[in-house]
Amino acid sequence: MHYFYICIRIKKSDVLKELDKEIIKLFGELIDNPNQKVVILPHINPDGDAVGSALGLSRVLKNSGLQVEVISANDYPSFYNWIEGHEQVTLFSKKPKKVQQLLDESSLLICLDFNHLSRTGELKPLVENYGKSCVLIDHHPYPEDFADVLISHPECSSTAELVYHVLKASGLEQYLDREAASALFCGIMTDTGSFDYNVSDPQTFQTVGELLKFGIDQDYIHAQVFDNYSADRMRLLGYCLNECMEVFPEYHAAVMYLSKETQKKFNFVPGDSEGFVNYPLSIKGIHFSTLFSEKDGMVKASFRSKGEFAVNEFASENFNGGGHRNAAGGEVFASLEETLDKYRRLLPVYQEKLEKTKSK
């Protein structure tokens, strides 16, 4: 059977109603084979939405009788290890030959929570040359044309929420259980900052309400993710706020930065800086916040905003990135000092847009 590239553009409301019947039919045909081996792939450096979407979807497909494997370019923070199925995830960074074998033996690849192949890290060549059926389910804008079936809904709060709607529309809701619902809830919760942003659509809360009916323990999930940090992480946050934050009130902006030296000093592990970028937004008059984290040979950037200032445009225009209007990321292959200098020079360029946001 030949599958064709198709992209859904869904309006902000009634996701289930607007899901294209043809593409859901294609998705259903792709997974309607009990002998099929499916591989699920989230983006590099998986966050809560990526992990929750992947493990939630994996659980449902396994419940339906399919053989399913989850692979990842690299590891994710340990505070997601409570999610059912995490111990079966195969990391390319640790077992590249095993990942290659799983892809070779599979007949369907489902990519989740990324819109560009660059977001697959060292797995990019393997995805590009997969040569079999590929599905992409994602909520980031401007997706690349690399999948046979693309379900794209940029207005959705998270990929986890979109996965839930796809499961309902394709008749797989019957295989949802408490574990799958918990994983999807985690994805929605983390990608909305505990329902602080990306939740202007009432349907998001309706989706959460439906997930709660499976008996999930939302208090436990929240505690596992947000109340599970080390003492070093708390000290790192305090140090960063006191020593590594610059505030630019004239531009309604603030930046925080983490050098490799600082990370080493506080025994940094993946996930320790989760949420740091949001803290400056609590400062009166600040509605644009940035976090730069120094890595080997590059600097990772995280951007957050309040109001109409589009950080995804700022990221794509200046830091090889993208994302959503109020939450985006990027990277730059330069030193931390050079990156900070570039950021400072850019603020006057965007002053008018930042002022317009302030007036609203």
Side-chain angles (χ1 to χ4, degrees):
M1 180 179 292
H2 175 68
Y3 297 100
F4 57 91
Y5 177 85
I6 180 170
C7 175
I8 303 178
R9 293 297 183 194
I10 308 174
K11 296 178 180 179
K12 193 167 186 178
S13 59
D14 298 327
V15 176
L16 275 175
K17 182 179 179 181
E18 298 292 341
L19 280 172
D20 187 276
K21 293 181 180 179
E22 183 64 25
I23 197 168
I24 293 302
K25 180 181 178 182
L26 284 174
F27 179 78
E29 290 175 350
L30 282 171
I31 61 175
D32 188 21
N33 182 351
N35 298 316
Q36 180 156 232
K37 294 183 178 181
V38 181
V39 169
I40 296 175
L41 171 67
H43 59 72
I44 191 173
N45 302 317
D47 57 7
D49 191 20
V51 178
S53 298
L55 294 180
L57 178 59
S58 172
R59 175 79 179 186
V60 171
L61 296 184
K62 285 180 178 178
N63 289 346
S64 74
L66 292 176
Q67 301 178 63
V68 185
E69 299 284 351
V70 178
I71 64 174
S72 177
N74 58 354
D75 207 353
Y76 44 84
S78 61
F79 46 78
Y80 297 124
N81 287 353
W82 59 270
I83 303 178
E84 179 71 25
H86 88 88
E87 64 277 359
Q88 279 90 44
V89 177
T90 304
L91 305 178
F92 184 75
S93 58
K94 295 182 179 179
K95 298 181 179 179
K97 291 183 179 179
K98 179 64 175 179
V99 168
Q100 177 71 74
Q101 178 185 349
L102 292 174
L103 287 169
D104 290 343
E105 294 177 351
S106 69
S107 53
L108 174 62
L109 174 63
I110 302 179
C111 300
L112 295 175
D113 201 36
F114 62 89
N115 56 356
H116 291 274
L117 283 174
S118 61
R119 299 286 288 130
T120 59
E122 294 184 355
L123 276 169
K124 181 180 178 181
L126 299 183
V127 178
E128 283 180 318
N129 300 312
Y130 182 62
K132 288 164 280 189
S133 299
C134 179
V135 174
L136 172 61
I137 304 175
D138 180 49
H139 74 135
H140 295 92
Y142 316 118
E144 281 183 339
D145 180 359
F146 67 87
D148 301 295
V149 176
L150 169 61
I151 302 177
S152 174
H153 184 6
E155 293 293 344
C156 217
S157 72
S158 56
T159 294
E161 182 184 0
L162 183 54
V163 166
Y164 176 74
H165 293 309
V166 171
L167 291 172
K168 291 187 68 175
S170 57
L172 292 169
E173 183 183 10
Q174 59 183 309
Y175 301 111
L176 270 161
D177 60 12
R178 186 175 186 268
E179 288 72 23
S182 295
L184 295 178
F185 175 87
C186 178
I188 299 172
M189 178 189 71
T190 53
D191 234 36
T192 59
S194 291
F195 309 101
D196 188 41
Y197 49 81
N198 289 343
V199 286
S200 58
D201 189 344
Q203 188 161 341
T204 299
F205 293 99
Q206 179 181 331
T207 299
V208 169
E210 292 177 11
L211 291 173
L212 289 173
K213 293 178 182 178
F214 286 91
I216 67 176
D217 188 341
Q218 69 271 25
D219 293 334
Y220 170 81
I221 295 171
H222 187 278
Q224 289 301 302
V225 176
F226 295 109
D227 302 330
N228 205 9
Y229 293 115
S230 67
D232 281 330
R233 188 263 185 184
M234 296 301 292
R235 294 188 178 97
L236 171 64
L237 173 59
Y239 180 85
C240 193
L241 289 170
N242 192 52
E243 303 291 339
C244 308
M245 181 175 70
E246 297 180 27
V247 180
F248 305 89
E250 66 273 29
Y251 303 118
H252 312 284
V255 61
M256 299 171 69
Y257 49 90
L258 287 173
S259 68
K260 292 175 67 176
E261 181 181 358
T262 296
Q263 294 173 51
K264 182 178 180 180
K265 178 179 180 180
F266 293 95
N267 303 308
F268 184 90
V269 296
D272 273 356
S273 60
E274 189 83 19
F276 279 20
V277 68
N278 297 313
Y279 280 89
L281 293 177
S282 301
I283 301 173
K284 183 178 180 180
I286 301 301
H287 48 248
F288 174 37
S289 176
T290 300
L291 172 66
F292 291 123
S293 300
E294 186 179 22
K295 307 296 180 183
D296 290 332
M298 54 89 71
V299 175
K300 180 183 176 183
S302 297
F303 306 101
R304 296 292 185 273
S305 69
K306 295 187 293 187
E308 299 298 318
F309 185 70
V311 292
N312 55 348
E313 294 178 5
F314 183 85
S316 64
E317 291 168 1
N318 304 289
F319 293 97
N320 307 305
H324 301 282
R325 185 184 67 185
N326 298 121
E331 59 185 23
V332 57
F333 295 93
S335 70
L336 180 60
E337 293 74 16
E338 291 171 332
T339 302
L340 285 167
D341 287 341
K342 178 179 180 179
Y343 173 84
R344 297 183 189 105
R345 292 195 304 270
L346 284 169
L347 288 178
V349 178
Y350 287 84
Q351 184 171 14
E352 184 177 351
K353 290 183 178 180
L354 288 165
E355 283 291 339
K356 287 182 179 179
T357 301
K358 171 178 173 290
S359 65
K360 294 183 179 182

